[in-house]
Amino acid sequence: MILQLGLKTKILAIAFSIGAFLSLTSCYTLSGSSIHPTWETINIAVFPNYAPYQNPNLSPEFTNKLQDIFNNRTKLSLTNSDDSDLYIDGEITGYQQTSVAIQANEIAGKNRLTITVRVRYENRKDETKSFDKSFSAYEDFESNQTLQQAESALLESIIDQLTQQIFNAVAMDW
């Protein structure tokens, strides 16, 4: 009888814990958590590529991905209007290949592509949340590949990392 009572108590405790967890998670959402519900519009300008190395696809791919992440994860409407609630612009400032994982014979085991983006975020409803800062992301690739051979696969991942960093900084105050 005592064993059964202990088992029932454990089952009830687990069920209660699960219920409490589910009720708390339904009250809190990460996506857009610091974007006030009354804010309706966001203007994300084209990010020109001012990096010394020019990839002609980088600017439109980056800008589109940044617009997509805000469009898909918030209720904000994208606009080109100058009176939007939130405004993001900037430029691609770095696009650099470096050698990493140097081996004993002083030959690079891997290469790294790093992209840096300067972002100016203007929150026109709450100026304390505005910022001007740079974000960087990188991916490594095998040293037996040229940058041109690895570039298309690397760009997708790096752009995903950068746009996630920017989204987190804007939408979650990170």
Side-chain angles (χ1 to χ4, degrees):
M1 180 71 143
I2 294 176
L3 182 61
Q4 287 180 340
L5 181 60
L7 184 61
K8 287 181 181 177
T9 304
K10 288 181 182 178
I11 291 172
L12 284 173
I14 291 170
F16 177 76
S17 297
I18 291 171
F21 175 76
L22 291 175
S23 67
L24 287 175
T25 57
S26 67
C27 297
Y28 181 76
T29 177
L30 284 178
S31 242
S33 64
S34 72
I35 295 176
H36 197 274
T38 60
W39 301 343
E40 297 176 351
T41 58
I42 185 168
N43 182 345
I44 300 175
V46 173
F47 278 64
N49 187 354
Y50 295 142
Y53 178 84
Q54 292 290 309
N55 177 317
N57 298 322
L58 183 56
S59 174
E61 285 181 26
F62 176 80
T63 303
N64 289 339
K65 183 71 175 185
L66 188 60
Q67 291 172 341
D68 287 348
I69 199 169
F70 279 91
N71 195 39
N72 294 333
R73 294 188 185 178
T74 69
K75 68 171 192 68
L76 297 169
S77 298
L78 289 171
T79 182
N80 291 328
S81 173
D82 288 337
D83 64 347
S84 62
D85 297 325
L86 310 175
Y87 179 72
I88 298 174
D89 79 332
E91 55 270 346
I92 299 160
T93 58
Y95 193 96
Q96 181 177 14
Q97 177 186 340
T98 55
S99 298
V100 294
I102 304 298
Q103 300 170 348
N105 54 5
E106 297 186 23
I107 296 175
K110 291 195 180 262
N111 291 314
R112 175 172 291 168
L113 175 62
T114 304
I115 298 176
T116 305
V117 179
R118 180 179 177 198
V119 176
R120 288 176 296 277
Y121 166 59
E122 183 182 345
N123 185 319
R124 295 172 174 162
K125 299 293 186 177
D126 183 355
E127 282 295 324
T128 64
K129 296 193 181 296
S130 298
F131 61 77
D132 182 344
K133 62 183 173 180
S134 292
F135 298 86
S136 290
Y138 66 87
E139 281 293 329
D140 295 341
F141 61 100
E142 296 300 322
S143 62
N144 63 354
Q145 289 183 301
T146 66
L147 176 59
Q148 290 73 22
Q149 290 171 324
E151 198 168 26
S152 63
L154 299 172
L155 280 182
E156 183 176 346
S157 176
I158 295 171
I159 290 171
D160 284 346
Q161 291 174 54
L162 285 168
T163 56
Q164 186 63 53
Q165 289 175 29
I166 296 164
F167 179 81
N168 289 345
V170 171
M172 295 183 227
D173 287 334
W174 287 6

